């Protein structure tokens, strides 16, 4: 008899078809975000699950899913999954590294350019019928070319953002827990600096760290105050890495010039302060949302699930110490 699996959110038909060649597939194609209770009930008789960052996989859930052996996240970030709880329940957890780096880097650049050149503010001005004449000093922005770009988190996505800066003749600074290999530094023409130096010297600060207790409010009031008054902050990483209250206040009072944000602390809820500010460009967590990349993410999660439940060796296992017996 085929193993039963559950897909917690809507995915592409082709991926469902692929899963159906291996499993008895149950899925939430209606796509309503499930409550913890609904998720526990859907997973109570399943051996595998494909989930998204909208689902919290923790002790409370896993203690109710006696048959569950694998949880495959359709995301590279996995702060929605408690790996210690997965280990305690013998559940393999996987993510989707590698397939979304370039698409996410492209989007970080979309926000860099839109924020620096005040694109959404300019469009609103035009749509609101306010444009009456060309003016020399109209909607003046920040030059991106030859500016200094500071990258916090020099993993695959941070590196992809840095490589794109070469075309803009920028100086690239980066900070991470440790230095990347010298070949990567030279390919990206990036220089390792302290967090303080990065914040103080960059015209654009772009965040590419995973969310964890260590990176919670990595950018709070104190860190934002170290940035230049003319600088902008870009976040395509995770909500919670930035203290949204502190950022709203900094944008309101001119501590920094602007921000481009794809992720939010309480998403999908938006801090009301952002709505009132002209100097912030906002998007609803879509940095990886090209058709090709979202398809690859879903397929990679499905392949991980098939491998987990057939061989016990999923390629993107996050908890290799888990008891797979
Ligand atoms: C990820 O993969 O972590 C993205 O944030 C999902 O869109």
């Amino acid at each position: 008899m085929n193993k039963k699996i559950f897909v917690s959110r809507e995915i592409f038909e082709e991926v469902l078809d692929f899963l159906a060649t291996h499993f008895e597939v149950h899925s939430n194609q209606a796509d309503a975000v499930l409550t913890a209770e609904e998720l526990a009930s859907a997973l109570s008789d399943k051996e595998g699950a494909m989930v998204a960052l909208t689902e919290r996989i923790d002790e409370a859930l896993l203690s109710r899913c006696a048959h569950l052996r694998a949880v495959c996240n359709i995301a590279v970030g996995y702060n929605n999954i408690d790996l210690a709880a997965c280990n305690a329940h013998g559940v393999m957890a996987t993510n989707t590294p590698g397939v979304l780096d370039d698409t996410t880097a492209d989007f970080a650049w979309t926000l860099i350019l839109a924020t620096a050149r005040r694109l959404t503010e300019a469009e609103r001005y035009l749509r609101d019928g306010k444009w009456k004449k060309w003016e020399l000093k109209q909607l003046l922005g920040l030059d991106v070319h030859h500016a200094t770009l500071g990258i916090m988190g020099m993993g695959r996505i941070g590196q992809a953002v840095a490589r794109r800066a070469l075309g803009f003749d920028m100086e690239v600074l980066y900070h991470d827990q440790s230095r990347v290999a010298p070949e990567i530094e030279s390919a990206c023409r990036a220089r390792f600096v302290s967090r303080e130096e990065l914040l103080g010297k960059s015209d654009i600060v772009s965040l590419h760290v995973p969310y964890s207790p260590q990176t919670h409010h990595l950018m709070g009031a104190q860190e934002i105050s170290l940035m230049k008054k003319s600088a902008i902050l870009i976040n395509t990483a995770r909500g919670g890495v930035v203290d949204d209250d502190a950022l709203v206040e900094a944008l309101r009072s001119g501590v920094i010039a602007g921000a481009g944000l794809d992720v939010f602390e309480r998403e999908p809820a938006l801090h009301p302060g952002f709505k009132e500010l002209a100097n912030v460009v906002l998007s609803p967590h879509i940095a990886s949302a090209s058709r090709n990349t979202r398809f690859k993410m879903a397929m990679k999660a499905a392949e991980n699930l098939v491998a987990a439940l057939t061989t016990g060796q999923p390629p993107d296992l996050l908890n290799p110490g888990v008891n797979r017996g």
Side-chain angles (χ1 to χ4, degrees):
M1 211 172 70
N2 272 348
K3 291 175 174 161
K4 290 185 188 172
I5 63 134
F6 182 66
V7 182
S8 70
R9 298 294 308 275
E10 183 183 11
I11 58 167
F12 301 94
E13 285 296 330
E14 297 94 313
V15 182
L16 278 181
D17 291 346
F18 167 70
L19 288 167
T21 61
H22 296 271
F23 306 123
E24 180 183 316
V25 180
H26 298 255
S27 82
N28 172 24
Q29 287 296 95
D31 208 34
V33 177
L34 302 177
T35 62
E37 186 57 42
E38 289 166 338
L39 186 61
S41 146
L43 292 180
S44 62
D45 59 344
K46 307 296 184 305
E47 284 185 54
M50 251 172 77
V51 299
L53 44 84
T54 41
E55 280 73 61
R56 177 119 206 96
I57 308 299
D58 56 12
E59 175 59 36
L61 178 87
L62 295 177
S63 61
R64 299 176 62 186
C65 306
H67 306 277
L68 202 60
R69 288 291 156 263
V71 172
C72 300
N73 219 23
I74 312 172
V76 67
Y78 53 89
N79 52 300
N80 57 315
I81 301 181
D82 179 341
L83 292 184
C86 287
N87 285 339
H89 290 272
V91 173
M92 291 172 263
T94 67
N95 67 339
T96 61
V99 291
L100 50 83
D101 305 340
D102 283 318
T103 301
T104 303
D106 285 353
F107 198 78
W109 271 92
T110 304
L111 287 181
I112 289 171
L113 291 165
T115 308
R117 300 301 304 274
R118 301 169 63 180
L119 183 64
T120 52
E121 187 185 352
E123 184 178 353
R124 267 193 305 272
Y125 181 78
L126 196 55
R127 285 182 190 270
D128 291 349
K130 291 183 180 157
W131 192 32
K132 301 297 176 211
K133 59 185 190 306
W134 182 92
E135 290 170 53
L136 189 71
K137 296 203 279 186
Q138 202 162 47
L139 287 158
L140 299 179
L142 171 77
D143 267 333
V144 172
H145 66 86
H146 297 95
T148 299
L149 172 65
I151 297 183
M152 297 267 255
M154 196 63 160
R156 287 180 308 265
I157 298 173
Q159 289 169 31
V161 170
R163 285 196 302 274
R164 283 156 175 74
L166 293 170
F168 286 85
D169 298 313
M170 300 176 89
E171 176 174 9
V172 180
L173 309 177
Y174 78 94
H175 181 74
D176 209 323
Q177 284 167 328
S178 54
R179 286 180 73 155
V180 295
E183 333 51 284
I184 297 176
E185 285 189 351
S186 64
C188 299
R189 257 196 264 136
R191 186 161 64 85
F192 180 81
V193 292
S194 69
R195 190 163 63 153
E196 291 67 29
E197 183 173 349
L198 183 146
L199 293 173
K201 289 197 172 150
S202 300
D203 300 301
I204 298 154
V205 173
S206 192
L207 305 176
H208 302 286
V209 295
Y211 180 72
S212 70
Q214 291 71 42
T215 59
H216 177 73
H217 287 184
L218 181 73
M219 292 301 291
Q222 156 69 13
E223 291 75 18
I224 296 170
S225 74
L226 298 178
M227 291 173 63
K228 294 181 186 177
K229 210 168 148 51
S230 54
I232 61 173
L233 177 67
I234 305 298
N235 189 7
T236 51
R238 270 293 179 276
V241 170
V242 175
D243 177 345
D244 283 358
D245 287 334
L247 180 57
V248 164
E249 193 40 48
L251 290 167
R252 200 179 265 152
S253 56
V255 173
I256 60 171
L261 308 171
D262 186 50
V263 286
F264 305 91
E265 226 178 329
R266 288 174 281 276
E267 64 183 58
L270 187 63
H271 190 304
F274 288 133
K275 288 194 205 160
E276 293 155 16
L277 290 165
N279 54 349
V280 59
V281 176
L282 306 166
S283 56
H285 203 146
I286 54 167
S288 63
S290 70
R291 203 269 172 203
N292 276 344
T293 292
R294 286 283 167 93
F295 182 84
K296 284 184 197 164
M297 289 163 67
M299 192 51 105
K300 196 167 181 47
E303 286 164 357
N304 271 306
L305 189 51
V306 171
L309 296 186
T310 55
T311 66
Q313 307 284 343
D316 303 305
L317 187 61
L318 293 165
N319 52 341
V322 67
N323 177 358
R324 292 170 241 183

